[in-house]
């Protein structure tokens, strides 16, 4: 019987474990994902198209001041689980960086109202409470819909996603701007 020293056996186990470990490779953030699935590249394409279109609209060109927008969300009308909040965030980030818009955070407005209610109910010491108020109201809602159509053609399928976004005047409900972007990919049915 051959005896293998414990150190050699331990080293062999360690080498085997390391060689079987999964490896991650980082890719550039602006690289293009080549997949039929909805990806970060699709989010980037949708956001760039919508932002460029909105920056060229009359809402920006005909005003000297910065319009105040509130993100009203993008509805996911596809059969897939797609985080449309990622599209919201990308669009809002680029619009804010452009310096042409101001935004109201609807989530924070709800929390502010809850905080005011706590003060009003005297569940928070009024002396220690921060004065809430002076909140800016939105002039426009920015909202949209993401839809999809899958068409089978023989052994292939065309996967189409379409993002439609619009800006609606809060006081009149008038649609002030609207645009859409389609992305088509070929894949398996």
């Amino acid at each position: 019987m051959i005896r293998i020293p414990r150190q050699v056996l331990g080293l062999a186990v360690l080498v085997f474990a390391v060689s079987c470990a999964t490896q991650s490779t980082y890719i550039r953030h602006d690289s293009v994902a080549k997949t039929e699935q909805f990806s970060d590249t699709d989010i980037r394409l949708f956001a760039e198209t919508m932002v460029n279109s909105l920056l060229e609209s009359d809402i920006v060109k005909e005003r000297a001041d910065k319009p105040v927008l509130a993100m009203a969300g993008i509805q996911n009308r596809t059969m897939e689980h797609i985080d449309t909040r990622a599209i919201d965030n990308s669009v809002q980030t680029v619009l804010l960086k452009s310096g042409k818009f101001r935004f109201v955070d609807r989530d924070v407005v709800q929390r502010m109202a809850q905080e005011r209610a706590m003060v009003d109910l005297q569940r928070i010491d009024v002396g220690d409470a921060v004065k809430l108020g002076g909140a800016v109201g939105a002039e426009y809602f920015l909202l949209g819909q993401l839809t999809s159509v899958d068409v089978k053609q023989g052994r292939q399928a065309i996967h189409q996603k379409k993002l439609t976004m619009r800006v609606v005047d809060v006081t009149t409900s008038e649609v002030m701007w609207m645009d859409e972007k389609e992305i088509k990919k070929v894949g398996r049915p």
Side-chain angles (χ1 to χ4, degrees):
M1 181 189 279
I2 300 174
R3 292 192 97 208
I4 301 174
R6 284 187 177 181
Q7 291 88 357
V8 173
L9 186 59
L11 182 60
V13 169
L14 179 64
V15 168
F16 178 75
V18 169
S19 67
C20 292
T22 59
Q23 295 180 354
S24 295
T25 303
Y26 289 96
I27 59 173
R28 292 173 45 100
H29 74 282
D30 59 350
S31 65
V32 176
K34 296 178 181 174
T35 175
E36 62 192 65
Q37 302 297 320
F38 193 78
S39 68
D40 63 326
T41 301
D42 301 328
I43 292 171
R44 192 168 50 247
L45 288 171
F46 279 143
E48 287 173 2
T49 301
M50 293 300 135
V51 167
N52 291 336
S53 175
L54 187 51
L55 289 174
E56 292 296 317
S57 72
D58 291 342
I59 294 172
V60 175
K61 289 182 175 183
E62 294 180 356
R63 292 183 61 145
D65 61 340
K66 298 177 187 178
V68 180
L69 298 176
M71 293 298 293
I74 296 173
Q75 295 175 332
N76 181 2
R77 299 282 187 178
T78 71
M79 297 299 289
E80 301 173 53
H81 172 73
I82 296 175
D83 182 9
T84 57
R85 194 86 185 233
I87 302 170
D88 278 353
N89 291 340
S90 293
V91 168
Q92 186 173 357
T93 299
V94 177
L95 286 174
L96 273 172
K97 284 183 175 181
S98 76
K100 304 285 185 183
F101 292 93
R102 296 185 304 158
F103 277 88
V104 177
D105 190 329
R106 305 300 293 170
D107 295 335
V108 172
V109 170
Q110 278 184 322
R111 288 189 215 125
M112 287 172 58
Q114 290 170 344
E115 192 72 13
R116 276 194 199 111
M118 295 281 284
V119 170
D120 291 345
L121 294 171
Q122 296 181 347
R123 293 191 178 163
I124 295 177
D125 183 8
V126 178
D128 293 335
V130 174
K131 183 179 179 192
L132 299 172
V136 175
E139 298 172 77
Y140 303 103
F141 286 129
L142 178 58
L143 60 151
Q145 281 188 344
L146 182 64
T147 58
S148 69
V149 175
D150 293 331
V151 178
K152 295 178 186 176
Q153 292 182 338
R155 294 183 181 200
Q156 291 186 341
I158 297 174
H159 306 285
Q160 174 190 342
K161 302 278 186 296
K162 181 169 75 171
L163 176 65
T164 305
M165 292 191 77
R166 64 189 184 279
V167 171
V168 178
D169 186 306
V170 171
T171 56
T172 65
S173 300
E174 181 181 0
V175 176
M176 304 300 292
W177 167 88
M178 189 170 190
D179 204 349
E180 61 186 17
K181 169 70 176 168
E182 289 183 23
I183 295 175
K184 291 183 181 180
K185 297 180 180 185
V186 176
R188 294 183 307 255

